[in-house]
Amino acid sequence: MTSLEFIQLHENKSIAEVALLLSKHPEMDKVFIINQINGRQRAKNKLPDFYVNPSIVYPSTLSMEQCSSEKAARYKSLQLVDGEKLVDLTGGFGIDSYYFSQQFNQVTYVEPNKELFAVASDNFDLLKTDNIKCINTTAEDFLSQTSEHFDIAYIDPSRRDEQKRVFQFSDCTPNVVDLLAKLFKVADKILIKSAPFLDIQKSILELNYVTKVVVLSINNECKEVLYQLENKEEEKVKVETINLTQQSQSFNFNWSDETTCSIRYADPQQYLYEPNSSVLKAGAFKMIGNQYGIQKLAVNSHLYTSNEPKTSFPGRVFKVKAVTSYNRKEINRLGIQKANVSCRNFPYRPEEVKKKLKLKDGGEHYLFASVNQKGELILIHCEINR
């Protein structure tokens, strides 16, 4: 049996099962086969364009985890960048480079890891992309040696220590803060991708030249935060939040306005609003209420309310059925035995709330556990409005 036949035969099995089967076939390349099966399993949903091509070769599990999804890469290539020439300084598996190549005349893919470089380069050939130039070197060496000029320099720094959580770009590699001067020498604009755990306010201050921040979610899961830099003074940093769903949601504001605007507070009214993950990550806690004319339940609750529905709200909208104190008798009185429970600014986790209230999970009822303006624990019984 060839490696390809083995992969096709066992593609849908768990990696543990595959490893056990391979222990009986010492002649086969275990690492390669596991990478391909793991890669295809992940690519089925994450990279459907790649998945349908059986000749694509996949890298290690870590590289598959770190690469952009097809949806994110498409959005960036279509909405965030334009020009003739782009350089991807941290090419990785090449997903971003591949989709950038569909919009630019020339893309330069830079990757220091020889094995990963070889995998991506071969895949580009398989995909018949003839406008990607591949260079096997570090971002730092490329920037020091190139004489080319680009419209966009794209870079995705990674954590130096995968076991340690980091909160600023200077703790990542390449260190984009140290590279800014060189980056602006080779490109008109810089687009930096970060994972959602980096603090946006610290990043804006650290990078200094930020003109726009894009917070990108897919199906309400925050995936990437992107920083656009230009070598000019910009008084107001624009923030764009996007949630790619069946009906994509967007909300935009100026970063400085969040600190200066005001918001009103109110107890739950007829409608309840839960912002999507991009809005919450962007920290638009006052601006969202300000722009939609809705009130906030409490300072740290991040739930909003109104008497009139705001159908274009970027998040979930609920119709409020009842508001009670936090006790089981009230829930019994409402006849609720099963509910979707969410906690916002609440001292207990959803699992603890369901246990106390003796509720099963799921169904058509929604319960938000939160606090009111007096700091009292409350339950808001809702049904989904859209």
Side-chain angles (χ1 to χ4, degrees):
M1 182 184 298
T2 67
S3 293
L4 182 58
E5 289 170 337
F6 184 95
I7 291 165
Q8 291 173 337
L9 183 62
H10 303 294
E11 179 184 326
N12 296 317
K13 289 186 171 65
S14 71
I15 298 302
E17 288 179 281
V18 172
L20 182 61
L21 289 169
L22 283 170
S23 66
K24 301 172 184 178
H25 295 275
E27 75 281 3
M28 289 188 170
D29 188 335
K30 180 180 178 179
V31 173
F32 174 79
I33 290 173
I34 286 178
N35 281 345
Q36 300 322 296
I37 291 177
N38 172 73
R40 286 192 57 77
Q41 289 176 356
R42 289 175 180 269
K44 190 170 185 177
N45 293 317
K46 188 174 184 177
L47 304 169
D49 278 358
F50 278 49
Y51 177 77
V52 296
N53 188 329
S55 299
I56 291 291
V57 175
Y58 295 93
S60 67
T61 300
L62 179 61
S63 294
M64 284 297 296
E65 288 174 354
Q66 291 179 338
C67 75
S68 295
S69 68
E70 179 181 317
K71 283 186 178 179
R74 279 188 183 278
Y75 182 82
K76 284 178 285 191
S77 67
L78 291 170
Q79 303 295 332
L80 301 187
V81 293
D82 56 59
E84 301 293 322
K85 294 172 64 178
L86 177 145
V87 57
D88 182 350
L89 290 159
T90 45
F93 185 35
I95 304 303
D96 286 316
S97 287
Y98 173 69
Y99 287 100
F100 286 142
S101 74
Q102 297 178 5
Q103 304 300 322
F104 286 77
N105 290 338
Q106 179 189 312
V107 169
T108 299
Y109 161 93
V110 178
E111 171 55 47
N113 183 294
K114 290 183 178 180
E115 291 182 5
L116 192 52
F117 175 85
V119 167
S121 301
D122 288 345
N123 285 339
F124 293 151
D125 290 338
L126 284 169
L127 294 164
K128 303 187 185 322
T129 52
D130 56 4
N131 61 333
I132 301 179
K133 180 168 67 173
C134 300
I135 301 177
N136 184 202
T137 189
T138 64
E140 294 89 341
D141 285 347
F142 177 85
L143 290 171
S144 296
Q145 297 167 12
T146 188
S147 59
E148 282 192 86
H149 192 82
F150 301 88
D151 298 292
I152 302 284
Y154 175 75
I155 189 165
D156 175 13
S158 62
R159 288 172 288 179
R160 290 176 184 160
D161 184 350
E162 291 296 329
Q163 305 305 315
K164 182 181 177 182
R165 199 171 182 187
V166 299
F167 297 93
Q168 55 190 17
F169 280 110
S170 55
D171 292 329
C172 298
T173 184
N175 186 335
V176 291
V177 178
D178 287 347
L179 290 176
L180 283 177
K182 289 183 178 180
L183 285 164
F184 278 124
K185 281 186 178 180
V186 304
D188 297 326
K189 292 182 182 179
I190 303 166
L191 186 63
I192 304 175
K193 170 189 167 183
S194 81
F197 53 77
L198 260 65
D199 183 89
I200 292 177
Q201 184 172 6
K202 287 182 180 178
S203 297
I204 290 173
L205 293 172
E206 191 178 25
L207 295 171
N208 198 34
Y209 298 96
V210 177
T211 56
K212 183 166 69 175
V213 179
V214 179
V215 185
L216 177 61
S217 293
I218 298 174
N219 296 324
N220 205 31
E221 182 180 352
C222 192
K223 294 293 188 180
E224 301 179 10
V225 180
L226 298 124
Y227 299 84
Q228 177 184 285
L229 281 65
E230 297 180 64
N231 196 2
K232 66 178 184 180
E233 290 187 11
E234 187 69 35
E235 291 185 5
K236 292 189 175 182
V237 176
K238 297 177 182 178
V239 182
E240 297 179 0
T241 74
I242 180 72
N243 180 30
L244 299 177
T245 62
Q246 287 185 342
Q247 293 182 324
S248 294
Q249 304 168 334
S250 63
F251 176 74
N252 305 329
F253 65 102
N254 290 325
W255 180 259
S256 58
D257 291 345
E258 174 64 23
T259 59
T260 58
C261 77
S262 60
I263 188 169
R264 292 177 296 156
Y265 296 89
D267 289 334
Q269 300 174 24
Q270 292 189 49
Y271 294 91
L272 190 76
Y273 304 88
E274 181 189 39
N276 67 43
S277 59
S278 285
V279 173
L280 293 174
K281 173 58 187 176
F285 305 129
K286 291 187 287 185
M287 284 300 297
I288 192 73
N290 187 278
Q291 287 196 28
Y292 281 89
I294 54 182
Q295 292 80 52
K296 199 174 185 185
L297 297 194
V299 174
N300 296 314
S301 292
H302 309 324
L303 290 172
Y304 303 79
T305 191
S306 72
N307 278 319
E308 298 296 329
K310 311 291 181 178
T311 55
S312 62
F313 183 82
R316 295 197 294 177
V317 182
F318 299 87
K319 184 75 170 65
V320 176
K321 306 292 287 182
V323 181
T324 74
S325 58
Y326 179 50
N327 66 73
R328 186 184 163 202
K329 287 183 180 179
E330 295 282 0
I331 296 301
N332 287 343
R333 182 177 62 81
L334 294 173
I336 301 173
Q337 298 179 335
K338 187 176 183 180
N340 303 279
V341 176
S342 296
C343 296
R344 296 290 183 272
N345 189 25
F346 202 72
Y348 307 108
R349 299 189 306 272
E351 294 75 18
E352 295 172 302
V353 172
K354 283 183 284 188
K355 184 177 180 180
K356 176 182 172 67
L357 302 178
K358 296 189 175 180
L359 291 171
K360 294 181 179 179
D361 188 49
E364 297 180 356
H365 298 286
Y366 290 82
L367 274 183
F368 283 89
S370 191
V371 300
N372 60 20
Q373 295 176 73
K374 296 178 182 178
E376 299 166 334
L377 303 185
I378 60 172
L379 296 171
I380 310 167
H381 173 214
C382 306
E383 63 181 21
I384 196 80
N385 194 60
R386 69 157 173 80

Short mmCIF file of all heavy atoms in Angstrom, two decimals, residues 1 6 10 13 16-30 33:
data_model
loop_
_atom_site.label_atom_id
_atom_site.label_comp_id
_atom_site.label_asym_id
_atom_site.label_seq_id
_atom_site.Cartn_x
_atom_site.Cartn_y
_atom_site.Cartn_z
N MET A 1 0.84 -1.20 0.00
CA MET A 1 0.00 0.00 0.00
C MET A 1 0.88 1.25 0.00
O MET A 1 1.82 1.37 0.79
CB MET A 1 -0.91 0.02 1.24
CG MET A 1 -1.86 1.20 1.31
SD MET A 1 -2.83 1.25 2.83
CE MET A 1 -3.76 -0.26 2.72
N PHE A 6 -2.99 4.87 1.68
CA PHE A 6 -3.24 4.80 3.12
C PHE A 6 -3.99 6.05 3.58
O PHE A 6 -4.95 5.96 4.35
CB PHE A 6 -1.91 4.68 3.88
CG PHE A 6 -2.07 4.50 5.36
CD1 PHE A 6 -2.07 3.23 5.92
CD2 PHE A 6 -2.24 5.60 6.21
CE1 PHE A 6 -2.22 3.06 7.30
CE2 PHE A 6 -2.39 5.44 7.57
CZ PHE A 6 -2.39 4.16 8.11
N HIS A 10 -7.83 6.08 5.22
CA HIS A 10 -8.01 6.36 6.65
C HIS A 10 -8.19 7.84 6.96
O HIS A 10 -8.05 8.25 8.12
CB HIS A 10 -6.80 5.80 7.43
CG HIS A 10 -6.58 4.33 7.23
ND1 HIS A 10 -7.47 3.38 7.67
CD2 HIS A 10 -5.57 3.65 6.62
CE1 HIS A 10 -7.01 2.17 7.36
NE2 HIS A 10 -5.86 2.31 6.71
N LYS A 13 -10.46 8.85 10.00
CA LYS A 13 -10.20 8.28 11.33
C LYS A 13 -9.51 9.30 12.22
O LYS A 13 -8.90 10.26 11.75
CB LYS A 13 -9.33 7.02 11.20
CG LYS A 13 -10.04 5.84 10.58
CD LYS A 13 -9.16 4.60 10.62
CE LYS A 13 -9.92 3.33 10.22
NZ LYS A 13 -10.38 3.35 8.83
N ALA A 16 -5.29 9.37 16.62
CA ALA A 16 -4.85 8.27 17.50
C ALA A 16 -5.01 6.92 16.80
O ALA A 16 -4.13 6.06 16.87
CB ALA A 16 -5.65 8.29 18.80
N GLU A 17 -6.14 6.73 16.11
CA GLU A 17 -6.36 5.49 15.36
C GLU A 17 -5.35 5.34 14.23
O GLU A 17 -4.82 4.24 13.99
CB GLU A 17 -7.77 5.48 14.76
CG GLU A 17 -8.89 5.28 15.76
CD GLU A 17 -10.25 5.30 15.08
OE1 GLU A 17 -10.74 6.40 14.79
OE2 GLU A 17 -10.80 4.21 14.83
N VAL A 18 -5.06 6.46 13.54
CA VAL A 18 -4.09 6.43 12.44
C VAL A 18 -2.71 6.04 12.96
O VAL A 18 -2.01 5.21 12.35
CB VAL A 18 -4.04 7.80 11.73
CG1 VAL A 18 -2.89 7.85 10.73
CG2 VAL A 18 -5.36 8.09 11.05
N ALA A 19 -2.32 6.62 14.09
CA ALA A 19 -1.00 6.32 14.68
C ALA A 19 -0.90 4.84 15.04
O ALA A 19 0.15 4.20 14.85
CB ALA A 19 -0.77 7.19 15.91
N LEU A 20 -2.00 4.28 15.56
CA LEU A 20 -2.01 2.85 15.92
C LEU A 20 -1.86 1.99 14.68
O LEU A 20 -1.10 1.00 14.66
CB LEU A 20 -3.30 2.52 16.66
CG LEU A 20 -3.44 1.07 17.16
CD1 LEU A 20 -2.33 0.74 18.16
CD2 LEU A 20 -4.82 0.86 17.80
N LEU A 21 -2.57 2.34 13.61
CA LEU A 21 -2.47 1.58 12.36
C LEU A 21 -1.06 1.66 11.78
O LEU A 21 -0.53 0.68 11.25
CB LEU A 21 -3.49 2.10 11.36
CG LEU A 21 -4.96 1.78 11.65
CD1 LEU A 21 -5.87 2.59 10.74
CD2 LEU A 21 -5.22 0.28 11.48
N LEU A 22 -0.46 2.85 11.88
CA LEU A 22 0.88 3.04 11.31
C LEU A 22 1.95 2.26 12.08
O LEU A 22 3.02 1.95 11.52
CB LEU A 22 1.23 4.52 11.29
CG LEU A 22 0.56 5.34 10.18
CD1 LEU A 22 0.78 6.84 10.41
CD2 LEU A 22 1.10 4.94 8.82
N SER A 23 1.68 1.95 13.34
CA SER A 23 2.65 1.18 14.12
C SER A 23 2.84 -0.22 13.54
O SER A 23 3.85 -0.89 13.79
CB SER A 23 2.19 1.07 15.59
OG SER A 23 1.00 0.32 15.68
N LYS A 24 1.87 -0.63 12.71
CA LYS A 24 1.97 -1.95 12.06
C LYS A 24 2.62 -1.84 10.67
O LYS A 24 2.77 -2.84 9.99
CB LYS A 24 0.58 -2.56 11.92
CG LYS A 24 -0.14 -2.75 13.26
CD LYS A 24 -1.58 -3.19 13.08
CE LYS A 24 -2.31 -3.27 14.41
NZ LYS A 24 -3.74 -3.64 14.23
N HIS A 25 2.96 -0.60 10.28
CA HIS A 25 3.57 -0.38 8.96
C HIS A 25 4.84 0.48 9.12
O HIS A 25 4.86 1.66 8.75
CB HIS A 25 2.59 0.32 8.01
CG HIS A 25 1.39 -0.49 7.69
ND1 HIS A 25 1.38 -1.43 6.67
CD2 HIS A 25 0.15 -0.51 8.24
CE1 HIS A 25 0.18 -1.99 6.62
NE2 HIS A 25 -0.58 -1.46 7.56
N PRO A 26 5.90 -0.08 9.68
CA PRO A 26 7.13 0.70 9.93
C PRO A 26 7.78 1.21 8.64
O PRO A 26 8.60 2.13 8.69
CB PRO A 26 8.04 -0.30 10.65
CG PRO A 26 7.50 -1.65 10.29
CD PRO A 26 6.04 -1.47 10.13
N GLU A 27 7.41 0.64 7.51
CA GLU A 27 8.02 1.08 6.25
C GLU A 27 7.44 2.42 5.77
O GLU A 27 8.02 3.05 4.88
CB GLU A 27 7.81 0.00 5.17
CG GLU A 27 6.39 -0.08 4.58
CD GLU A 27 5.39 -0.82 5.47
OE1 GLU A 27 5.77 -1.23 6.58
OE2 GLU A 27 4.23 -0.98 5.05
N MET A 28 6.35 2.84 6.35
CA MET A 28 5.71 4.08 5.91
C MET A 28 6.23 5.29 6.68
O MET A 28 6.67 5.16 7.84
CB MET A 28 4.18 3.98 6.07
CG MET A 28 3.53 3.03 5.07
SD MET A 28 1.73 3.12 5.14
CE MET A 28 1.32 2.16 3.68
N ASP A 29 6.14 6.46 6.05
CA ASP A 29 6.58 7.72 6.68
C ASP A 29 5.47 8.20 7.61
O ASP A 29 4.51 8.86 7.20
CB ASP A 29 6.85 8.77 5.60
CG ASP A 29 7.49 10.05 6.16
OD1 ASP A 29 7.29 10.31 7.37
OD2 ASP A 29 8.15 10.77 5.40
N LYS A 30 5.60 7.87 8.89
CA LYS A 30 4.55 8.15 9.87
C LYS A 30 4.26 9.64 10.00
O LYS A 30 3.09 10.05 10.00
CB LYS A 30 4.97 7.57 11.23
CG LYS A 30 3.95 7.80 12.33
CD LYS A 30 4.43 7.19 13.65
CE LYS A 30 3.43 7.47 14.77
NZ LYS A 30 3.86 6.86 16.06
N ILE A 33 2.42 11.07 6.86
CA ILE A 33 1.04 10.60 6.72
C ILE A 33 0.13 11.26 7.75
O ILE A 33 -0.98 11.71 7.43
CB ILE A 33 0.98 9.06 6.84
CG1 ILE A 33 1.62 8.42 5.60
CG2 ILE A 33 -0.46 8.58 7.02
CD1 ILE A 33 1.77 6.92 5.68
#
